[in-house]
Amino acid sequence: MANCECLEGCPFFNDKMDKMPTMAKIYKKQYCQGDFDSCARHRIFISMGKSAVPGDLYPNEAAKATAILAKV
């Protein structure tokens, strides 16, 4: 499977996960290099654009992403 197109420039991984490398590796494997269509951040990026993705949104926060997308 291909990597998510957002992986290289994802501010979540480049800014938020630098102090948690083990957790970052797990998230990257599951979401960025696996099922990135289920990534909360990716769902908002695709629907609303990069600027709409909250900086503190974790990839596994599907319910939060759904709530954000429901407001649109």
Side-chain angles (χ1 to χ4, degrees):
M1 180 175 261
N3 286 345
C4 174
E5 71 268 25
C6 302
L7 179 59
E8 291 296 318
C10 181
F12 180 77
F13 286 108
N14 295 321
D15 299 337
K16 301 275 187 232
M17 296 299 287
D18 58 341
K19 292 183 174 79
M20 299 183 342
T22 302
M23 191 56 127
K25 186 176 181 178
I26 291 168
Y27 280 139
K28 282 182 184 180
K29 184 176 182 181
Q30 181 170 348
Y31 295 103
C32 308
Q33 299 165 329
D35 185 15
F36 53 84
D37 289 329
S38 69
C39 173
R41 300 181 60 79
H42 189 263
R43 288 176 52 211
I44 293 174
F45 167 77
I46 292 298
S47 296
M48 301 172 65
K50 184 177 180 178
S51 63
V53 181
D56 63 345
L57 182 67
Y58 277 66
N60 63 332
E61 294 186 299
K64 189 172 179 181
T66 299
I68 292 168
L69 292 169
K71 292 179 184 178
V72 178

